[in-house]
Amino acid sequence: MRNTPLIVAFLALTACGADAENTTETQSQSVECAKTESDFIRLKLAPNCVGCHGEGTSAPYFASAESFEGLIVQNPRFVVPGDPDNSEFVRLLEGNGTGAFTQMPTAGEPYAQLPADQQGISVQEVRQWITGLSVGSRDTTPWRDAPTTRRLGADEFRDSLMALLGLTYEDDFFQSYSSNFESQTVVLRGPLALRATDDAPGLHYVDQRSSVSRRWAALGGADWLNRKPRSYDISPSFLQTVTQVSQAWCELAVNKADNTALFRDVSPAQGSDVAAAEIKTNIAYLHLRFLAMPATPAEVDAIFDDVFVAHESAGPKTAWVAVCSYFVRHPLALSL
């Protein structure tokens, strides 16, 4: 019988204990309530993984039996049924990952080198589990309790984009505060800001208020003074505005001096003729920063060739604006 020790352990724990509380939280966290052999693996690994990959995180691989099955077990990027040596899931546990992350957990020793009392299950048992997996088709049946995805609201898009690009209102968008103490307003440096019409202090110039309010409305921002609630629709005006903002803000960020939020591994003035390796490393960094997902070498090469190099004839900084805009407009960056 394949995987005899593992299956025996799993079968011994498939029924919830008589004293277990009958709650979703208890059943999702207790190995006594494992739904399948794969769920047993999830629950055994969970104590070391849920901190970064539990419910409410950007990559909730361990949030539930269904998420683990759909995002890990049935994802050939992580698991190759019957072949643990070529499964990235095993490589990460052993500290031999091939993506942006080379190990899990990311800090300290990889899982395989942790003391035995800190491992819920051995990597050898994980290997046995993958060896016994058969190739199957992805279950397309909707999950009643699956977490939903929506695009970012205007305020979420603005705040997250400013943080990702290393921009701030005071440094990059405000020109001055009004000298009229009876009118607590600000003067913007240009037409690029995203600002709710309800924000205080308000905008000083009529033309700025008009352009900024139109852009805010196009992104679905709330305007409570005019009785307009926020919207999460993916409309043509939303997509057009995201395109405009991504290009304008990325140009601002690329040209900002010493902007380590965007450039950790290379100078924005260096071209592919002298710094191709550094540019690819920085692209991998931005992929993880913007999308919360490590990029494969093939994905990095594709972005380098199809985006950076394709726009480099206008200069390295223009190429970086294109790369930055690519990430800003990516569906993973626009949703939660």
Side-chain angles (χ1 to χ4, degrees):
M1 179 182 292
R2 68 174 179 86
N3 303 349
T4 302
L6 181 59
I7 290 183
V8 169
F10 163 66
L11 292 176
L13 296 172
T14 50
C16 291
D19 297 331
E21 298 178 19
N22 188 22
T23 65
T24 301
E25 181 179 0
T26 299
Q27 292 183 4
S28 66
Q29 300 301 326
S30 172
V31 292
E32 286 79 4
C33 297
K35 299 177 181 179
T36 63
E37 184 179 350
S38 295
D39 193 33
F40 174 77
I41 298 294
R42 174 185 75 93
L43 291 170
K44 281 292 189 178
L45 291 171
N48 288 289
C49 304
V50 292
C52 295
H53 299 299
E55 185 175 353
T57 62
S58 60
Y61 301 121
F62 286 78
S64 66
E66 292 81 7
S67 62
F68 185 73
E69 183 71 26
L71 299 175
I72 295 290
V73 183
Q74 295 188 31
N75 186 347
R77 179 173 181 172
F78 291 113
V79 172
V80 179
D83 191 356
D85 288 335
N86 286 315
S87 294
E88 186 70 7
F89 188 66
V90 172
R91 293 188 185 122
L92 288 169
L93 295 178
E94 293 178 340
N96 301 311
T98 59
F101 288 112
T102 59
Q103 68 174 61
M104 289 291 163
T106 57
E109 299 294 337
Y111 180 87
Q113 297 179 25
L114 294 176
D117 59 354
Q118 294 181 27
Q119 296 182 15
I121 192 171
S122 70
V123 174
Q124 182 58 36
E125 289 174 295
V126 174
R127 284 178 159 274
Q128 290 177 356
W129 161 66
I130 292 178
T131 300
L133 287 174
S134 59
V135 178
S137 59
R138 186 179 293 271
D139 185 4
T140 59
T141 304
W143 302 339
R144 184 190 65 181
D145 299 323
T148 58
T149 300
R150 65 165 173 81
R151 63 97 163 165
L152 296 177
D155 51 346
E156 295 165 326
F157 174 73
R158 173 197 61 195
D159 296 344
S160 63
L161 186 55
M162 289 179 67
L164 287 169
L165 296 179
L167 301 176
T168 66
Y169 261 131
E170 290 73 12
D171 292 341
D172 302 296
F173 295 100
F174 284 4
Q175 177 176 312
S176 62
Y177 286 87
S178 171
S179 59
N180 182 352
F181 295 105
E182 295 181 358
S183 175
Q184 297 299 310
T185 57
V186 295
V187 178
L188 296 179
R189 184 168 295 149
L192 303 180
L194 283 175
R195 193 168 173 85
T197 53
D198 303 327
D199 283 352
L203 302 177
H204 184 61
Y205 292 126
V206 174
D207 59 337
Q208 286 188 335
R209 289 200 297 269
S210 177
S211 62
V212 171
S213 62
R214 285 198 302 270
R215 189 179 301 114
W216 186 254
L219 289 173
D223 182 358
W224 301 115
L225 294 177
N226 291 306
R227 294 180 293 181
K228 293 181 180 179
R230 64 174 50 89
S231 170
Y232 297 107
D233 293 339
I234 304 176
S235 63
S237 60
F238 167 77
L239 295 174
Q240 182 182 35
T241 303
V242 166
T243 299
Q244 295 170 344
V245 170
S246 68
Q247 293 171 344
W249 283 28
C250 282
E251 182 178 11
L252 189 64
V254 167
N255 288 304
K256 185 174 183 177
D258 302 320
N259 190 353
T260 56
L262 282 188
F263 300 106
R264 189 190 65 176
D265 303 288
V266 70
S267 164
Q270 291 179 297
S272 60
D273 56 334
V274 297
E278 291 83 355
I279 291 170
K280 289 184 179 182
T281 300
N282 204 76
I283 288 174
Y285 157 70
L286 293 179
H287 192 288
L288 182 61
R289 180 173 176 82
F290 279 83
L291 309 184
M293 290 285 289
T296 65
E299 289 171 330
V300 171
D301 288 342
I303 297 170
F304 176 77
D305 293 332
D306 300 339
V307 184
F308 187 91
V309 174
H311 292 84
E312 194 179 10
S313 60
K317 288 190 175 182
T318 298
W320 279 117
V321 171
V323 171
C324 173
S325 300
Y326 165 85
F327 284 122
V328 172
R329 298 199 295 265
H330 195 286
L332 287 177
L334 290 173
S335 62
L336 53 74

